[in-house]
Amino acid sequence: MRLLVLGTGVMAKNQLRHFAHMDGVEVVGAVDTDPDRLKLFADEFGIEKRFLTLDDAIAWGDFDAATNVTPDRIHHPTTMALIAAGKHVLCEKPLAENYPKALEMTEAAETAGVVNMVNLTYRNVAPLQRAREMVLAGELGTIKHVEASYLQSWLVSRAWGDWRTESTWLWRLSTGHGSTGVLGDVGIHILDFAAYGAATDIDHVFARLKTFNKVPGGQIGEYLLDANDSFTMSLDFANGALGVVHASRWATGHLNELKLRIYGERGSLEVNHRPSGSDLRGCLGENVESATWREIEAAPVATNYQRFAEAVMSGLQPDPNFRHAANLQKVIDLAMITERERRELKV
């Protein structure tokens, strides 16, 4: 697979650390509108072909697939151009700014017959994959209740930098700079974590969003700090289970932590993912009577990057695909409406 990298920021570097060491994968070109950033990136990874526009890269055309690591609002036009050129695409999340654009991308990719995949990175968590296997095998019986959380603390801690002075973080707090808050930023991750782990789709949604005052006047320079910082969400799942999902950037003591609890009529599972690692616990069988939880081993799994490369080489469509990401974007869009209208909506 001859791969083009579109966008050369931090996430692109993370991806290249995977792609650069895969058999059968050659990174042949990079695109960025910032020539200095492009040069530093291409020099670091030994990439010969460098382009300041995607149009120039497509005109050159000597690549099979692209990984789209541009800012959120750029995903739609750039991915549509790649699909029109017949290129396979791995796109960062969210797929698009809203459901209509995400659906347009999905239908274009399906019509063109190109491999399409969204980089929902927490699919790489082995305990999540093991939990899903156990749910599908019926080890928990009928699923009754699901709870999931995504907790960060970068509005409290400076572990990742100071949001008061760094544009990397300030734009995420401002709707005028393209942010849809914590819901748009990590909502798709935790919704996928919950629905994928519980092996079901989301049927109904009702959400509450909250923006807290962070500085006097609510503004720093050109950044009006009006994007949501926390959300809570109640869900009905297609399998009949009830769910609660929440996320916050104010979760002191939690740098970046995802948690999923799945409760069934015969047992329960808990998945924890932190920067230091992941684990899976279960309360099953005779342990249900004593409420005893035990660790469950989870074998390593292929990463999204490996599965995308294998899909391009085999021609077999992998998961999570564009349609799945578009459906999750629909849930997020409806969640925003439920906040405004204070009513539950069917997905």
Side-chain angles (χ1 to χ4, degrees), residues 66-139:
T67 179
N68 191 340
V69 207
T70 58
D72 297 356
R73 62 175 55 179
I74 309 300
H75 290 176
H76 174 267
T78 51
T79 297
M80 291 296 288
L82 288 164
I83 292 170
K87 306 301 182 182
H88 308 292
V89 184
L90 171 66
C91 187
E92 271 301 323
K93 64 80 194 171
L95 184 57
E97 296 175 89
N98 55 54
Y99 175 66
K101 288 184 177 180
L103 183 61
E104 183 184 4
M105 295 161 71
T106 299
E107 292 176 343
E110 292 175 351
T111 299
V114 297
V115 170
N116 57 93
M117 188 173 178
V118 177
N119 192 25
L120 294 171
T121 52
Y122 297 108
R123 291 290 185 94
N124 303 336
V125 175
L128 177 69
Q129 297 283 356
R130 179 68 182 121
R132 177 180 170 86
E133 290 175 1
M134 295 175 70
V135 170
L136 289 172
E139 294 186 43

Side-chain angles (χ1 to χ4, degrees), residues 73 154-155 162-180 211-227 229 249:
R73 62 175 55 179
W154 58 266
L155 286 175
D162 189 348
W163 62 265
R164 299 166 185 82
T165 59
E166 299 179 22
S167 60
T168 300
W169 304 108
L170 278 169
W171 82 264
R172 296 175 186 271
L173 305 174
S174 174
T175 61
H177 287 77
S179 175
T180 49
T211 304
F212 295 93
N213 186 39
K214 289 171 278 294
V215 295
Q219 186 164 355
I220 296 178
E222 65 181 281
Y223 298 93
L224 179 63
L225 310 182
D226 59 345
D229 306 322
R249 293 166 171 165

